[in-house]
Amino acid sequence: MVKENCGVVGIFSLSGTNVVPMAIDALRALQHRGQEAWGIAIPNKTPLKKLGLVSAASSEFKKISEEYKSSSVIGHVRYSTMGRSSLENAQPLKVKDLCVAHNGTIANVQELSNLVGGCSFTPQNASDTLVAAQRLVSLISENGQMGKALSILKNEMIGSYCFTFISDDNSVYAARDPKGFRPMVLGHKESDDTFIVASESSAISAVGAKLQRDVSPGELIRLSKNGLETERFSDDATRAHCSFEFTYFAHPSSKMEGTNIYVSRKRIGQFLAKKFPIPDADLVIPVPDSARPAALGYAQELGVSFDEGLLKDRYSKKGPLRSFIEPHQTDRVEINRWIIPIREIIDGRHVVVIDDSLVRGTSSKAIIKALRRAGARKISMLITYPQINFPCYAGIDFPSQQELATYTNGKDMTPDEITEMVRRDIGADFLGYNDAENLANAVGIPKDSMCFTCSSGNYDSLGVTPDFKSREEIKGEAS
Ligand code: SF4
């Protein structure tokens, strides 16, 4: 199955400005949410889709902006759980006269496909986005309105979703799932009276627009020649904002649920310092890049030196990319090879290394090995995200338990025993995880309004406890 997290954007200009260059800039500002493929769609034209980074097509931007000239557009950057990064799976997807871009995961795609006449879903041949879009289009034709169709679809669909849509009648829509798992914001550019909805405010800043507000969970926004219209397709008041966005996924410049991500991460570091005040630390270093503000916050709180002991080699082919969201293990290892320790900073010191999360352990193991090679006397590793013990069915790529560093293979173990098992595996002298309470307090959002399912195993916010599957089954690669 193709599952999407990704970044989405939707733009409509009331002054008739060609907004395709803006969409390209917005997608570049969302690149950290997906590095595998990108695309745009305008009314009455087949979507344009390309593999790789947006910047890789920079020589074609002028041509694309002329060929796809439009005052309305949606766009997408893709990050999947599937190894095959084919163009066919890139978005936006087109179903009849509706193009769709999706950030999230539809957890019950198999069941949903049974509601779609003539849709023979198999994990190999369709994405959750395509199934949801097909069902939505049939509900729109039965009910006449997007809002009504979504209010039915939300009861049939389990999972997380932020959608942008564009229809051939030149309307842009944006919808955020009722629990607000994935982020979505609204902005406006006054100079050419242009509205923009996007996964993150980094995209809104990139086009020179002003952030207006978060799109409310359960809200449907329509942008058309009538301006901005809004309605609710769900009255669910419970929230499950993905806590992982705050430690890893989102861009540090972005503002989410009223909180700036950089400031949140720095505060998470301060809170982590209170939980784990490592007494004989010589130095605090971040794992680049997401953990940098937390490491700074930790160091400042305890009055310990902060330094950049690990650098990403930005001149290598894979170095500047983010390793966690790479779909292939070999690519993840390749990226970690280009995190380089600075011996002159590390040698002979007790290093506290701060990372944003420990999922598979791949990066941590490689980093600790590199720090030992650079002469570290002692290595304490602190993780700003709580222990990840369960798969995510709401849009982040850790779908199977087996691949998690905390996997106990059926053995009954306490969280402390699991931490000790992981510590030994990655080779650190000390390993400490943040906890959900601490993280929520640092971010400033009530804990029960955030999703911590991957840590707690409580799938209540999703509404079902999924049957855990292997990565191969989920990706449709099982024989
Ligand atoms: S399970 Fe974890 S990664 Fe997935 S949405 Fe919830 S907090 Fe985010």
Side-chain angles (χ1 to χ4, degrees), residues 46-91:
T46 306
L48 168 91
K49 298 195 271 187
K50 291 203 171 277
L51 289 179
L53 300 179
V54 182
S55 58
S58 56
S59 61
E60 297 170 64
F61 285 167
K62 198 163 176 266
K63 192 168 146 253
I64 292 170
S65 298
E66 281 160 13
E67 253 176 51
Y68 286 80
K69 193 174 175 189
S70 173
S71 59
S72 57
V73 65
I74 62 167
H76 187 263
V77 285
R78 177 166 183 256
Y79 145 59
S80 78
T81 62
M82 189 165 179
R84 291 188 293 267
S85 290
S86 70
L87 204 53
E88 191 192 339
N89 293 328
Q91 296 189 28

Side-chain angles (χ1 to χ4, degrees), residues 181-182 242-244 385 391-396 398 451-454:
F181 280 104
R182 307 259 68 88
C242 171
S243 52
F244 201 61
Y385 197 75
C392 172
Y393 285 79
I396 303 280
F398 26 92
C451 176
F452 283 103
T453 299
C454 48

Side-chain angles (χ1 to χ4, degrees), residues 150 229 336 355 367-368:
L150 273 171
E229 294 161 285
N336 288 319
D355 205 352
I367 283 161
I368 284 166

Side-chain angles (χ1 to χ4, degrees), residues 48-297:
L48 168 91
K49 298 195 271 187
K50 291 203 171 277
L51 289 179
L53 300 179
V54 182
S55 58
S58 56
S59 61
E60 297 170 64
F61 285 167
K62 198 163 176 266
K63 192 168 146 253
I64 292 170
S65 298
E66 281 160 13
E67 253 176 51
Y68 286 80
K69 193 174 175 189
S70 173
S71 59
S72 57
V73 65
I74 62 167
H76 187 263
V77 285
R78 177 166 183 256
Y79 145 59
S80 78
T81 62
M82 189 165 179
R84 291 188 293 267
S85 290
S86 70
L87 204 53
E88 191 192 339
N89 293 328
Q91 296 189 28
L93 300 172
K94 186 157 192 174
V95 177
K96 297 197 174 151
D97 67 347
L98 193 74
C99 289
V100 54
H102 172 214
N103 172 203
T105 296
I106 310 303
N108 67 333
V109 62
Q110 205 95 37
E111 281 163 50
L112 194 63
S113 70
N114 297 333
L115 300 171
V116 179
C119 170
S120 55
F121 172 83
T122 68
Q124 292 88 348
N125 76 358
S127 75
D128 54 349
T129 306
L130 181 63
V131 174
Q134 284 171 328
R135 180 64 184 148
L136 183 67
V137 165
S138 79
L139 287 169
I140 293 170
S141 72
E142 283 163 29
N143 297 279
Q145 283 174 349
M146 174 73 83
K148 178 74 184 148
L150 273 171
S151 70
I152 298 168
L153 186 63
K154 70 137 195 330
N155 296 328
E156 300 173 347
M157 202 159 62
I158 292 167
S160 65
Y161 47 93
C162 276
F163 288 118
T164 53
F165 307 104
I166 195 162
S167 58
D168 282 349
D169 73 355
N170 200 19
S171 297
V172 170
Y173 296 88
R176 188 176 182 197
D177 74 62
K179 303 246 185 265
F181 280 104
R182 307 259 68 88
M184 190 174 236
V185 285
L186 168 72
H188 183 250
K189 191 175 178 190
E190 232 174 87
S191 55
D192 42 23
D193 202 1
T194 295
F195 284 102
I196 169 169
V197 277
S199 295
E200 289 186 38
S201 64
S202 56
I204 287 175
S205 309
V207 303
K210 205 169 157 208
L211 174 67
Q212 291 196 317
R213 61 175 174 88
D214 291 290
V215 174
S216 173
E219 181 181 10
L220 169 67
I221 286 177
R222 181 181 180 212
L223 305 172
S224 69
K225 61 178 181 347
N226 300 328
L228 182 144
E229 294 161 285
T230 172
E231 64 180 290
R232 300 205 57 79
F233 64 92
S234 166
D235 291 324
D236 189 345
T238 56
R239 299 288 176 258
H241 304 306
C242 171
S243 52
F244 201 61
E245 292 273 359
F246 289 87
T247 59
Y248 173 75
F249 216 76
H251 195 275
S253 71
S254 286
K255 205 169 172 184
M256 224 169 248
E257 316 310 327
T259 304
N260 168 258
I261 297 295
Y262 181 90
V263 172
S264 289
R265 287 182 187 160
K266 205 166 164 194
R267 259 199 320 255
I268 291 169
Q270 289 163 344
F271 276 64
L272 204 58
K274 289 185 186 121
K275 187 175 163 76
F276 297 113
I278 307 274
D280 57 340
D282 295 317
L283 185 67
V284 178
I285 62 168
V287 174
D289 288 309
S290 326
R292 193 169 281 125
L296 191 58

